[in-house]
Amino acid sequence: MTEAILLVGGKGTRLRPLTVRTPKPMVPAAGVPFLTHQLARAREAGVEHIVLATSYLAEVFEPYFGDGSALGLELEYVTEREPLGTGGAIRNVASRLRSGPGDPVLIFNGDILTGLDIRALVGTHTRSGADISLHLTRVEDPRAYGLVPTDANGRVTAFLEKPQTPEEIVTDQINAGAYVFRRSVIDAIPEGRPVSVERETFPDLLAAGAHLQGMVDSTYWLDLGTPHAFVRGSADLVLGRAPSPAVPGRCGEHLILPTASVAPDAKLSAGTVIGPGAVIGPGARLTATAVLPDAVIEPGALITHSLIGAKARVGARTILANAVIGDGATIGADNELRDGIRIWCDLVLPPATIRFSPDE
Ligand code: GTP
């Protein structure tokens, strides 16, 4: 049986302030910590043993997931003393692996939401006899990603990190953050120092003549590293566009977790999720928005494509669009916050003195 390593130790700087108190994989998406979706998908694909490589805010994972038996998994946790980067983190958990030297080991970035056919990736790896196999996906604008061109047989020919000029954009295939490594390749990563698998391990192995195989799978794929993407991913899970066996309820326009309280005339749409203990006041309208546990949305608030942190409060008639409200923050009544604005945890914004009309 294939085992897996999940990389969950990153600082998640792009997702601040939601990652100030919570590591990115533990931020709720569609009502449960995002990591739950990845664990459940791996289990569905037949993975039984998973080692979590933790670093930033490492202490929160085990109390929540325990030994993994609730998900039908056997989970282990390994914490780095200093962050070791993606490659260093993989090497650091090698002693917990049970696979033999020639066996395949799955590795997942902890912030990717995807419908990848995990079994097919392992199948490609086994059939091709590769040292490492990589899930590749196609994107329209590859400039923010690592490009991975392949030959006619799917063998990787280069790794090009974040290309800028048109000449450098030789393919639309990017590294999608899921790999199969032959176990012996993991053991050969240098030990005890930071290593980037993307910038060091992959290019070095390629230069040394190793066989790296790409598998293009263009089903649902989203890197949840930014607030905009996180909100979209959560909404897609609620709507059923992104596949996960761990969505805690029926997929549809909205998902209301038990113990949340929603006024009968509040309107929730486009994949909005209301976390446990949250309160949504009369006349509030929420579109494609994630409301985390115990947050309060006061009457008449209009919120779209936003993330409302745990225990945050949004005042009456306030308008939010593409906003992130940190845990415990308070936005007074009648404010209007738009276009990527981020409000830090516990910040208190007083009510606006001049009222906006939503039509202005
Ligand atoms: P940003 O700071 O916003 O870039 O996010 P990040 O820290 O998560 O970095 P990135 O998205 O590049 O990381 C890719 C994956 O590797 C994520 O799942 C991270 O949790 C994980 N990761 C990154 N660095 C480390 C590390 O030093 N140790 C461990 N264990 N995991 C890491």
Side-chain angles (χ1 to χ4, degrees):
M1 183 49 56
T2 315
E3 57 186 345
I5 299 170
L6 255 153
L7 299 173
V8 293
K11 287 205 173 79
T13 51
R14 289 167 297 158
L15 206 54
R16 286 176 187 162
L18 289 172
T19 45
V20 174
R21 295 175 184 166
T22 311
K24 183 165 49 176
M26 293 300 284
V27 177
V32 292
F34 174 66
L35 181 57
T36 321
H37 300 291
Q38 289 187 306
L39 293 173
R41 287 207 80 245
R43 180 68 195 88
E44 203 179 45
V47 177
E48 286 173 351
H49 177 224
I50 297 184
V51 187
L52 296 181
T54 66
S55 171
Y56 177 67
L57 299 176
E59 63 281 2
V60 304
F61 292 93
E62 193 163 359
Y64 187 88
F65 289 107
D67 64 3
S69 50
L71 289 164
L73 284 164
E74 202 184 326
L75 290 183
E76 287 191 69
Y77 306 82
V78 179
T79 302
E80 293 141 43
R81 243 175 278 139
E82 298 291 329
L84 290 172
T86 45
I90 295 168
R91 178 65 185 88
N92 192 50
V93 307
S95 64
R96 303 296 182 95
L97 298 173
R98 298 164 187 171
S99 309
D103 291 340
V105 177
L106 278 157
I107 298 173
F108 299 106
N109 277 359
D111 51 2
I112 303 292
L113 179 59
T114 176
L116 165 72
D117 184 342
I118 296 170
R119 286 180 200 271
L121 185 63
V122 178
T124 296
H125 181 78
T126 310
R127 264 195 314 280
S128 66
D131 297 297
I132 296 176
S133 302
L134 300 92
H135 171 207
L136 308 180
T137 191
R138 294 200 162 96
V139 292
E140 260 172 46
D141 181 4
R143 278 174 301 179
Y145 302 97
L147 299 197
V148 187
T150 48
D151 69 14
N153 299 316
R155 195 164 168 155
V156 175
T157 54
F159 287 95
L160 308 162
E161 269 300 309
K162 302 193 173 60
Q164 291 311 318
T165 63
E167 300 76 50
E168 285 177 312
I169 303 176
V170 294
T171 177
D172 59 357
Q173 297 174 181
I174 63 154
N175 175 356
Y179 323 112
V180 182
F181 275 52
R182 186 191 299 135
R183 162 69 199 264
S184 56
V185 176
I186 294 176
D187 294 327
I189 296 173
E191 210 178 352
R193 69 162 172 89
V195 177
S196 161
V197 86
E198 301 86 354
R199 285 187 295 275
E200 188 175 339
T201 310
F202 293 155
D204 286 2
L205 281 168
L206 195 64
H211 179 172
L212 289 100
Q213 187 73 18
M215 187 189 87
V216 179
D217 181 327
S218 297
T219 53
Y220 187 95
W221 184 87
L222 194 62
D223 172 350
L224 300 195
T226 63
H228 185 72
F230 201 95
V231 170
R232 217 175 96 197
S234 178
D236 284 345
L237 282 161
V238 172
L239 289 165
R241 285 187 194 148
S244 165
V247 175
R250 214 156 17 112
C251 290
E253 280 294 303
H254 63 250
L255 178 65
I256 301 170
L257 275 285
T259 74
S261 154
V262 178
D265 67 344
K267 287 204 176 62
L268 311 177
S269 62
T272 290
V273 56
I274 311 300
V279 177
I280 312 297
R285 287 212 318 258
L286 280 68
T287 308
T289 285
V291 178
L292 301 194
D294 303 312
V296 176
I297 310 298
E298 293 183 354
L302 293 181
I303 307 181
T304 170
H305 297 100
S306 295
L307 259 163
I308 314 300
K311 297 194 171 76
R313 177 176 281 268
V314 177
R317 299 170 302 278
T318 278
I319 299 169
L320 303 179
N322 293 314
V324 180
I325 308 302
D327 294 342
T330 299
I331 310 298
D334 299 309
N335 280 290
E336 180 164 350
L337 304 174
R338 292 184 179 272
D339 303 335
I341 194 158
R342 300 180 191 209
I343 300 295
W344 209 252
C345 300
D346 298 330
L347 191 123
V348 177
L349 200 66
T353 46
I354 301 169
R355 246 182 85 174
F356 287 97
S357 139
D359 306 321
E360 273 173 33

